[in-house]
Amino acid sequence: MSLFAPSCLDDFLINNASERDLLELILSRQLPFPFNGKSGILLHGTYGTGKSTLGLLLPSLLETAYAGNYPQASPIGQMQVVEDAIPEIFRCGGGLSSTAIVKHITMCNSRNPFHHYGQTDYFLFDEVDKLTLSAQQSLKSVMDLKRCQFIFTTNYLDRIDDGIIDRSYLIEMNKAANANAYVAMGQSILQKMALASTAMPVPVITAIAHKAKGSLRRFANEMMIEGIKLGGVIPK
């Protein structure tokens, strides 16, 4: 169970404004994706910053965007999932072979993905750096297939093949330079614990953020502990 379960783009900290804008352009469908040789979104950064969580959420956010059945007047960062996607998930490591990966993606590409509004298949590679270099290089050929969207996560951008990087939009997810960026997230956790958003002073929340060193897991857990001390309760 997670007390703080991100459900929209605003629930994640993306420090680079242009990279955040890029995701909004894709989700608002102003920027075609895949398009112009770009078929991947590569989330990179330190441990615990929400890369895998956002990677799992993006296909459903994209499906919701393609379906168009969300409040159009709302900010795109607040768009909640309405449509579920069925991504093909590769948890890298453990002997995944390049032959098996390419064969599976090619098989998926041979069918029409009528089950998705975007008429595309979603392929999520969690911790893609754990694939061998040859396995990563083999992905280059299938990344050029039509009707395929790729989402990658990694803690080590320097271990990713240049071909994957060239075909992907890079989104950095690291510790926010300004601890105030975590305040709204912390206040949301307090409210979920049946406390007022002002139950904890802002300087206390920012101190917890500094201690967490960019890890949303550590931040949420510390907020939960301090919330209990204030009389908050863990929701059932």
Side-chain angles (χ1 to χ4, degrees):
M1 175 184 174
S2 175
L3 181 62
F4 178 68
S7 59
C8 64
L9 194 58
D10 279 357
D11 287 337
F12 297 89
L13 295 177
I14 299 171
N15 296 324
N16 187 301
S18 63
E19 293 177 2
R20 163 65 192 240
D21 290 345
L22 175 64
L23 285 179
E24 289 198 5
L25 288 174
I26 291 173
L27 290 175
S28 65
R29 301 191 64 190
Q30 297 178 69
L31 176 65
F33 181 73
F35 184 71
N36 209 28
K38 296 285 190 181
S39 61
I41 295 173
L42 175 54
L43 309 172
H44 65 98
T46 191
Y47 293 94
T49 51
K51 298 180 300 298
S52 295
T53 304
L54 179 56
L56 287 166
L57 187 64
L58 272 175
S60 293
L61 285 175
L62 287 162
E63 274 298 283
T64 299
Y66 284 122
N69 56 356
Y70 61 92
Q72 300 290 321
S74 299
I76 201 69
Q78 297 176 15
M79 180 178 72
Q80 301 286 322
V81 168
V82 177
E83 302 294 338
D84 288 328
I86 308 173
E88 304 288 334
I89 300 174
F90 298 88
R91 300 196 184 279
C92 301
L96 273 176
S97 72
S98 58
T99 301
I101 292 170
V102 170
K103 183 177 181 181
H104 184 73
I105 294 173
T106 304
M107 181 274 293
C108 291
N109 189 248
S110 67
R111 68 193 182 196
N112 285 321
F114 293 118
H115 52 297
H116 286 152
Y117 280 98
Q119 296 295 292
T120 184
D121 282 307
Y122 302 98
F123 300 97
L124 171 62
F125 286 80
D126 196 28
E127 297 188 280
V128 67
D129 53 275
K130 290 185 177 180
L131 292 180
T132 65
L133 183 59
S134 62
Q136 290 185 42
Q137 290 174 338
S138 70
L139 280 173
K140 291 185 289 190
S141 61
V142 289
M143 284 187 73
D144 293 331
L145 294 173
K146 294 181 179 179
R147 304 193 310 275
C148 292
Q149 297 189 32
F150 295 84
I151 299 167
F152 305 101
T153 74
T154 182
N155 298 318
Y156 305 101
L157 186 60
D158 59 339
R159 299 182 187 177
I160 306 304
D161 179 70
D162 288 341
I164 291 177
I165 290 176
D166 189 56
R167 290 167 172 80
S168 300
Y169 291 116
L170 304 187
I171 307 296
E172 180 184 356
M173 298 180 70
N174 274 313
K175 177 182 178 181
N178 186 350
N180 286 319
Y182 296 87
V183 171
M185 191 178 298
Q187 292 174 338
S188 174
I189 292 174
L190 293 175
Q191 290 176 313
K192 289 180 180 180
M193 298 182 70
L195 293 168
S197 63
T198 55
M200 188 180 296
V202 168
V204 176
I205 297 177
T206 55
I208 292 172
H210 279 299
K211 182 180 177 181
K213 297 181 179 179
S215 171
L216 295 187
R217 294 190 193 97
R218 295 177 192 171
F219 176 73
N221 192 62
E222 189 68 23
M223 283 294 305
M224 178 189 69
I225 292 171
E226 294 303 315
I228 291 173
K229 293 178 182 177
L230 291 172
V233 295
I234 305 297
K236 300 294 184 181

